[in-house]
Amino acid sequence: MDIKVLYEDNHLIAAYKPAGVLVQKGEGPEHDDDTLYWQVKMFLKERDQKPGNVFLGVLHRLDRVVSGIVLFAKTSKGAARLSEQIRERTITKIYHAVVEGHVDLEESMLIDTIRKDSGSIKAIVGGDASIELGNEAVLYYWRLQSNQKYSLLKIQLETGRFHQIRAQLSAIGHPIVGDVKYGASEALTDRSIMLCATELHFKTATSDENIKISIEIPAEFEQILG
């Protein structure tokens, strides 16, 4: 897999993750060298001719079926400073998605309680916002294009829950195209879903400089709307 570097400084590196690629190895049978984490690590080791182990910290993840921007830390300082921004919700994460159906509202905020069901490995929307039964999930969306069959949305996450975007959009009757796990009518041929992390806003690890990383909306997202 060729690495597409989107941003880099002394402490951080951002790369593009294609749909179908894991960010980091889980407990399954996948190999490290199949992951974006490993590929970026080997890229840095070879490019910089570093002997021994190369530090690379995973700051956040995207689901395997999702494409887009992933930010890693190259140093422990980078990991600590960016993890703090994530905890304090000062990092802005923007996604674009194509969902099934015509979304009536031009913009809206969704506030739900959400929990992970370990049996089905799905996010369940609804229930009491307690530690046992769920955590608050908040996102904002703007409708950019729509017809009677599909709608293109811009989404900003306020919280970062497991499968949050997928579950919350499904709960309002608009599952993401291809996301059969959350009620889409059919799968896409490559088993991906039409959800892409398209923008990331953060401060560098050593200053208050604001960084914005952005990529184009995947062409197929707009093509499906005609």
Side-chain angles (χ1 to χ4, degrees):
M1 181 174 67
D2 293 329
I3 298 301
K4 183 177 180 181
V5 176
L6 303 171
Y7 170 82
E8 186 175 6
D9 61 27
N10 290 336
H11 298 279
L12 305 168
I13 184 169
Y16 174 77
K17 186 189 88 65
V21 175
L22 283 170
V23 170
Q24 186 179 35
K25 185 183 182 301
E27 297 178 356
E30 303 88 358
H31 298 290
D32 274 335
D33 56 6
D34 294 330
T35 66
L36 184 65
Y37 164 79
W38 186 257
Q39 294 291 333
V40 172
K41 196 170 185 176
M42 290 304 99
F43 165 78
L44 292 172
K45 181 178 178 66
E46 293 171 11
R47 187 197 66 184
D48 300 339
Q49 299 182 347
K50 291 188 174 182
N53 189 41
V54 174
F55 179 90
L56 192 69
V58 177
L59 298 171
H60 64 112
R61 293 171 177 82
L62 298 178
D63 298 339
R64 183 201 286 265
V65 291
V66 178
S67 61
I69 302 165
V70 178
L71 186 65
F72 296 96
K74 293 164 55 179
T75 64
S76 57
K77 176 181 282 189
R81 296 285 173 83
L82 270 293
S83 294
E84 182 181 9
Q85 291 181 44
I86 290 170
R87 285 194 303 272
E88 294 179 351
R89 300 181 185 177
T90 57
I91 286 183
T92 301
K93 298 177 183 178
I94 303 292
Y95 295 74
H96 284 79
V98 181
V99 299
E100 295 188 350
H102 173 75
V103 175
D104 293 329
L105 296 177
E106 291 187 2
E107 59 182 83
S108 184
M109 177 173 65
L110 302 181
I111 305 176
D112 295 293
T113 55
I114 195 169
R115 62 184 173 85
K116 180 179 179 180
D117 180 78
S118 56
S120 63
I121 318 179
K122 285 182 65 176
I124 308 300
V125 173
D128 190 343
S130 67
I131 294 175
E132 293 80 11
L133 297 178
N135 294 295
E136 185 179 61
V138 182
L139 66 76
Y140 306 87
Y141 74 77
W142 296 264
R143 189 189 71 211
L144 303 181
Q145 289 180 250
S146 189
N147 56 33
Q148 291 307 308
K149 193 172 182 181
Y150 303 113
S151 298
L152 174 63
L153 305 180
K154 177 182 176 181
I155 300 153
Q156 181 174 329
L157 277 181
E158 180 72 17
T159 56
R161 310 301 182 194
F162 174 76
H163 287 186
Q164 178 181 338
I165 297 174
R166 300 166 65 182
Q168 285 191 281
L169 293 177
S170 176
I172 63 169
H174 296 288
I176 296 169
V177 171
D179 198 2
V180 292
K181 189 179 187 78
Y182 286 93
S185 57
E186 59 183 348
L188 298 174
T189 54
D190 64 357
R191 315 303 296 181
S192 68
I193 66 174
M194 287 197 167
L195 177 62
C196 182
T198 51
E199 283 186 34
L200 199 60
H201 303 234
F202 58 92
K203 292 183 185 296
T204 62
T206 56
S207 73
D208 285 334
E209 181 185 357
N210 291 306
I211 301 297
K212 173 186 173 182
I213 307 171
S214 63
I215 58 174
E216 295 292 328
I217 301 169
E220 58 268 27
F221 284 25
E222 294 179 317
Q223 290 167 358
I224 196 173
L225 283 137

